[in-house]
Amino acid sequence: MRARLIGVMLLLMVYSASTFAGDILVVVSKASPVDSISRRELVDLYMGRSHSLPDGSPVLKIDAPVDSPTREAFYRSLINMQVAEVNAYWARLMLTGRATPPMSVTRTEDIAALLERNPNALGYLPEDSGNENLKTIFVIKDTSRAP
Amino acid sequence: MKTSKPFSLSRTLRERLDLKIALAILCLAMLFLLVLGFFNYLKAQQEERAHALAVVREMVAVVEGNAAIAAYLKDIQLADEIVSGLQDSRYVARAAIDIDGGPTIAAGDITQSVEADVVHRLNAPFDAADQVGTLRVYADFAFIGQLATGRGRSVLVGQLALLLLVSGALFWVVRRVVIRPLGRVVGQLKTIEQSGVAHLRGISLKSQDEIGYLARNINSLLEKVHQAYLSEAEHNRQIAQLERKFRLIFEGSHAGIVLVDESDRLALVNPAFEAMVAELLPGAGCLEGRPLSQLFREPERVDDILAVVRDSHTSIFCDLMLAGEQEIWLRGVFSIIESQGGDERGYVEVVFSDISDRALTEKRFEYGATHDQLTGLLNRRGGMERFARQIEQAQAKGSELILCLIDLNDFKPVNDVHGHEAGDLVLQEVAQRLQHALRADDVIVRWGGDEFVVSMLVSGDFAVEAVGRNLLSLFRAPIEIDPQTRVRVGGSVGIASSAHSGYNIQQLIESADEAMYVVKKGDKNSYRVSGAEEQFEP
C-alpha cells in the first residue's frame, strides 16, 4: 500500500509538468461509420457489456498504456474508478471469459496509429493531441478541473 | 427383629416436610418452566429466524457486487457460480438471479415458491440508477427451524438444570434451616413424653429464628404442664390416701353409716349397717335404693326426722326400733350433708349404733323415773317435762293454758282409819277418775302425796270455770274401799292460767298453789282461779 502510494507520488512527480489536465476525446478513424456515441454505450463497451458499436459493427477497444495519466483520467471521469480497480474488475471476469477487456497499448502514440489503420477501432486521447485522421465522437469533460 | 415396612412413596411424602416443600417447589417450577419454556422456545425461533435472515442478507451483501456484474455482463456462468455459492450456505434453500433482458439463473427449484425471503435489486456496477437484474434468495426455514428447536431445547435444558439445582439447594437449605431443627424439637418432644415424672429435660435448640422461639415456648409450656402434672399427682396421692382412710372408717366402722338421697332412699350403706339389718332382709343383698323408713317400725317418724333435718340443717339424735320380730333399737344421728355440689343436694347422713340392750333398760328406767308407780300417772319429774312441752305447744298456738292443783280433803282420816292400802286405793281411784274425765292430751300428774296437777289447753271465756267445776264433780261420788266400806274425799282446786301468769311453769305452779291454799284455808271443797276476785263453789 505504502509502496503503491510512493509509486503514485513518483508518477505524479515525473508527470508533474505534463500532469494530465483537460478533457479526454473519444476518437475513431475518419473512415468509421460511427459519428457519435453515448456515454452509456461507451461505458458498456469499455466494461465488457457490449461487444459491438450501436450500429452493430464489431469494435476494437483500445486502452491507453497501463500507467498513463490518460488512462487514469479516462476511467476516473467515465466510471469514477481507479485503474487498479478496473484491473481488479477484469481479473474477476477472466475466468468466465465471457467479456474481454480493451486492448492495451504500450505507448500512447500507438493509439493514434492503431485508430488510423483500423476503422473498427475505438480509443481515447488527451484533448491536446489533435490528429486530422481521427474524428472525435465523444468528449469526456475533465471532472477534476475546478469550475 | 424389627420388620421394615415396605417403602411407600406417598407415605414418605406425607411424613416428610422437606420432601413436601421440595416437591412443591419442583412442581411449581416445572409449571413455570413449561410456560416460560414455551415462550422462550417461540422467542428463540423468532430470534433464530431473524438471525438467519440477517445472515442471508449479509451474504447477499457480500455477493451483491459480483451478482450485479454478472447481471450487467449477462454472464451466466458467473451468475450460476454466485447462486450456487449462495445455495451452499446452510441458511439458503434456493437462490436466483434474474437478469433484465436475459435469463434467470437459479440454484434449486424456484418455481414452486412465489415470494423470496430476500429480494435484492441489482444495479449496474457503474451506474446506480440502472437496474440490471434482481437477486432472489429463499431462506432454508427447515434448517432454521431445526436451529431454533435446538436453541429452544438448549435454553430449556439449561433452565431445567438451573431449576433442579435451585430446587436441590432449596431442599438442602430447608432441610438444614427448618427440618433438622424441627426434627430435633420433635425428637426431643418424643423423649419428653416418655420420661414421665422424671426430671423434665427441656428442648435445647440454638437457633434464634421462629423454630428457636417455638422450642423456647414449648419449653415453658412443658415446664408448666410438668408442674401441673406434679402438683396434680401429689394432689391425687393425697386424695387417694384420704380416700383409703375414709374407706377404712366407712368399711371398718362398728357404727352403721348410711347415706340417704333426696327421695329418702338409701344411697350408700356400710357393712356394719348391713349387718344390723341383716335379719330383716334375709337373702336380699342390696340395700341401696330401698327407702330408709321401711326398715323401722315407725316409718313416718323416720320420714319426719329426715324432713326436719333437711329443713333446719341441724343434726337430730333419735332412737328407733327396727321393724321385724326382734326388738332391736338403733340410735341414729341424722345430719344433712352440706355440699356445694349439685348431686348430693338433700342427702342425709345417718350414723346408727345398736343400742338394743341399753334401750330396753333405759326405757324401763325412764318409765320409772317419770311415772308414779302407784297410780301410773306421771310423777312430778315426768310432769315437768310434759308441762314444758305443753307450754311450748300453747305458746306456738297462742292458746290459753291452765294448770290446776288439786289437793284431796279428808284423805288423812282415810289413811288413819282404813289403813294405807285404803289410802292407796283412794289415790288410784282419783287417778282413774281424772284420766276418764280429761282428754288424752291433757297432762295428769301425781304431784306428791295427795296432790294432783292437771294442765290443759283451753279456749273460751268460761272454760276455766267449767274445768274447775268438772274437777270438783269428780269427788262427789264416794269411793269404794271394799264392798262394805265407802269413803268420801273432797278436793281443793287452785287454778292458774297463762292469761295471768304467763307461759311460765314455775309461775303457774306457784299461782295455782297460792289459789289452792286460799281454798284450803277457806271452805275447802271448791276451786279458785288465781287472779280472780271470787272463790267459786260448786
Side-chain angles (χ1 to χ4, degrees):
Chain A
M1 182 75 183
R2 175 171 285 179
R4 204 159 142 197
L5 199 68
I6 291 168
V8 169
M9 284 172 76
L10 278 173
L11 263 172
L12 286 171
M13 281 167 77
V14 168
Y15 290 102
S16 60
S18 62
T19 298
F20 188 84
D23 302 335
I24 287 175
L25 310 173
V26 177
V27 290
V28 291
S29 161
K30 271 218 164 43
S32 170
V34 179
D35 289 325
S36 69
I37 193 169
S38 72
R39 189 187 180 91
R40 183 170 172 178
E41 284 163 352
L42 190 65
V43 171
D44 286 349
L45 276 173
Y46 267 85
M47 297 318 288
R49 195 184 195 190
S50 307
H51 304 285
S52 54
L53 288 170
D55 64 348
S57 54
V59 71
L60 173 68
K61 302 165 280 184
I62 296 167
D63 237 348
V66 173
D67 295 330
S68 68
T70 312
R71 184 161 166 169
E72 179 81 27
F74 175 75
Y75 282 109
R76 193 180 62 237
S77 301
L78 193 65
I79 55 173
N80 197 27
M81 273 177 142
Q82 294 196 343
V83 174
E85 289 175 294
V86 176
N87 289 346
Y89 172 79
W90 283 118
R92 229 183 322 187
L93 295 171
M94 272 318 178
L95 291 171
T96 63
R98 165 126 173 76
T100 47
M103 192 183 79
S104 192
V105 295
T106 47
R107 289 178 303 152
T108 309
E109 301 89 84
D110 292 343
I111 297 172
L114 269 170
L115 290 174
E116 282 169 30
R117 275 202 306 270
N118 194 339
N120 289 331
L122 174 76
Y124 55 86
L125 291 168
E127 109 188 278
D128 52 354
S129 54
N131 190 323
E132 62 275 16
N133 291 325
L134 302 175
K135 58 177 175 187
T136 301
I137 55 170
F138 191 72
V139 178
I140 300 169
K141 294 289 174 198
D142 180 11
T143 51
S144 67
R145 192 181 293 169
Chain B
M1 187 79 185
K2 189 184 166 189
T3 52
S4 60
K5 283 179 244 175
F7 177 78
S8 153
L9 183 67
S10 64
R11 203 189 59 238
T12 310
L13 273 179
R14 254 184 279 123
E15 289 171 0
R16 291 273 302 272
L17 191 60
D18 49 354
L19 288 180
K20 251 190 231 175
I21 291 171
L23 193 72
I25 291 168
L26 208 62
C27 285
L28 280 175
M30 276 293 189
L31 192 71
F32 290 143
L33 192 70
L34 276 177
V35 176
L36 217 69
F38 177 68
F39 286 112
N40 270 339
Y41 181 81
L42 285 184
K43 199 173 159 230
Q45 218 164 17
Q46 217 168 18
E47 278 175 3
E48 206 58 53
R49 206 184 160 96
H51 174 70
L53 283 175
V55 168
V56 169
R57 279 204 188 89
E58 275 171 27
M59 287 195 298
V60 166
V62 168
V63 300
E64 180 193 353
N66 284 354
I69 291 168
Y72 176 70
L73 297 177
K74 298 186 170 59
D75 189 336
I76 289 159
Q77 198 183 345
L78 182 59
D80 193 47
E81 273 173 28
I82 289 165
V83 292
S84 298
L86 279 173
Q87 202 197 14
D88 283 347
S89 162
R90 293 175 305 167
Y91 290 100
V92 176
R94 298 174 294 279
I97 295 175
D98 303 313
I99 300 171
D100 288 1
T104 290
I105 294 95
D109 181 14
I110 55 159
T111 50
Q112 54 176 320
S113 61
V114 187
E115 194 92 24
D117 296 300
V118 177
V119 178
H120 196 84
R121 172 193 153 118
L122 295 173
N123 294 325
F126 316 108
D127 187 1
D130 184 19
Q131 183 177 356
V132 290
T134 311
L135 176 59
R136 285 186 285 149
V137 182
Y138 299 83
D140 187 350
F141 284 111
F143 173 69
I144 292 166
Q146 269 178 18
L147 282 183
T149 308
R151 204 180 126 191
R153 201 174 289 154
S154 76
V155 165
L156 212 61
V157 166
Q159 282 174 339
L160 190 67
L162 193 69
L163 170 80
L164 286 175
L165 208 66
V166 169
S167 291
L170 256 172
F171 174 68
W172 182 79
V173 167
V174 165
R175 216 176 137 68
R176 186 167 177 78
V177 174
V178 179
I179 306 305
R180 206 176 298 166
L182 258 183
R184 219 171 295 148
V185 170
V186 170
Q188 292 183 15
L189 265 180
K190 276 184 186 161
T191 60
I192 283 163
E193 277 172 0
Q194 289 156 2
S195 67
V197 197
H199 176 67
L200 184 73
R201 281 190 304 125
I203 295 168
S204 59
L205 206 65
K206 286 187 204 103
S207 58
Q208 300 291 311
D209 53 16
E210 285 91 337
I211 295 173
Y213 177 75
L214 187 73
R216 285 192 294 282
N217 266 10
I218 288 176
N219 268 344
S220 74
L221 197 68
L222 277 176
E223 186 58 38
K224 279 176 194 155
V225 168
H226 187 64
Q227 289 304 328
Y229 174 80
L230 284 182
S231 72
E232 183 73 8
E234 175 61 18
H235 197 63
N236 281 346
R237 199 183 59 76
Q238 287 174 353
I239 286 174
Q241 215 167 18
L242 212 59
E243 197 193 335
R244 211 162 43 242
K245 285 176 184 169
F246 283 144
R247 190 163 288 282
L248 204 64
I249 293 170
F250 185 72
E251 303 276 356
S253 171
H254 289 292
I257 303 170
V258 301
L259 206 57
V260 182
D261 65 16
E262 71 278 1
S263 54
D264 296 346
R265 289 172 186 278
L266 289 166
L268 190 67
V269 300
N270 76 338
F273 184 77
E274 281 176 10
M276 284 173 186
V277 299
E279 290 173 38
L280 292 181
L281 311 153
C286 194
L287 277 169
E288 272 98 347
R290 287 169 180 273
L292 176 69
S293 55
Q294 279 187 5
L295 297 170
F296 296 93
R297 202 166 281 182
E298 297 170 285
E300 61 280 358
R301 194 155 163 230
V302 176
D303 290 336
D304 286 349
I305 292 167
L306 287 170
V308 169
V309 166
R310 286 202 189 95
D311 285 346
S312 59
H313 284 249
T314 50
S315 290
I316 289 183
F317 167 91
C318 181
D319 293 343
L320 295 161
M321 189 158 70
L322 281 177
E325 300 296 313
Q326 286 181 299
E327 196 168 328
I328 301 173
W329 284 86
L330 298 183
R331 174 161 295 171
V333 181
F334 293 70
S335 320
I336 185 103
I337 293 188
E338 305 285 355
S339 84
Q340 283 87 2
D343 280 356
E344 283 84 29
R345 186 173 290 279
Y347 274 43
V348 175
E349 170 220 58
V350 195
V351 180
F352 288 108
S353 46
D354 191 339
I355 52 158
S356 297
D357 300 336
R358 192 170 57 191
L360 285 174
T361 44
E362 268 183 18
K363 280 281 169 190
R364 279 185 209 117
F365 177 77
E366 194 190 320
Y367 188 81
T370 54
H371 287 79
D372 176 46
Q373 271 191 313
L374 182 67
T375 58
L377 296 177
L378 291 164
N379 63 11
R380 190 187 278 236
R381 190 183 147 197
M384 286 304 275
E385 284 177 15
R386 292 291 302 275
F387 292 151
R389 260 186 273 166
Q390 207 174 24
I391 280 177
E392 277 176 26
Q393 270 185 317
Q395 229 167 350
K397 287 186 188 167
S399 53
E400 187 180 1
L401 179 123
I402 58 168
L403 188 134
C404 316
L405 190 70
I406 306 158
D407 192 78
L408 297 187
N409 300 325
D410 310 321
F411 178 69
K412 206 169 172 335
V414 175
N415 244 355
D416 294 345
V417 175
H418 303 286
H420 286 289
E421 285 177 11
D424 287 349
L425 279 174
V426 169
L427 291 173
Q428 280 173 333
E429 178 61 22
V430 170
Q432 255 186 3
R433 286 185 186 178
L434 283 169
Q435 276 176 324
H436 282 137
L438 295 172
R439 293 167 300 187
D441 52 350
D442 295 342
V443 181
I444 311 160
V445 182
R446 181 171 173 215
W447 199 241
D450 54 354
E451 275 186 331
F452 295 87
V453 173
V454 297
S455 69
M456 68 199 73
L457 302 179
V458 294
S459 55
D461 293 339
F462 306 106
V464 180
E465 282 72 25
V467 169
R469 280 196 295 275
N470 277 340
L471 288 177
L472 286 179
S473 70
L474 293 178
F475 298 99
R476 275 191 207 131
I479 297 164
E480 189 183 286
I481 298 167
D482 58 58
Q484 288 79 39
T485 321
R486 290 187 180 187
V487 295
R488 199 182 277 273
V489 292
S492 304
V493 179
I495 300 174
S497 164
S498 62
H500 293 290
S501 308
Y503 294 112
N504 184 327
I505 188 65
Q506 287 302 329
Q507 188 59 51
L508 285 165
I509 290 169
E510 266 173 43
S511 304
D513 197 49
E514 276 168 23
M516 189 276 287
Y517 192 73
V518 172
V519 175
K520 202 82 178 173
K521 287 289 159 203
D523 51 0
K524 291 193 177 174
N525 293 320
S526 67
Y527 72 90
R528 180 184 169 81
V529 179
S530 168
E533 292 301 315
E534 308 173 66
Q535 179 175 334
F536 297 96
E537 286 174 48

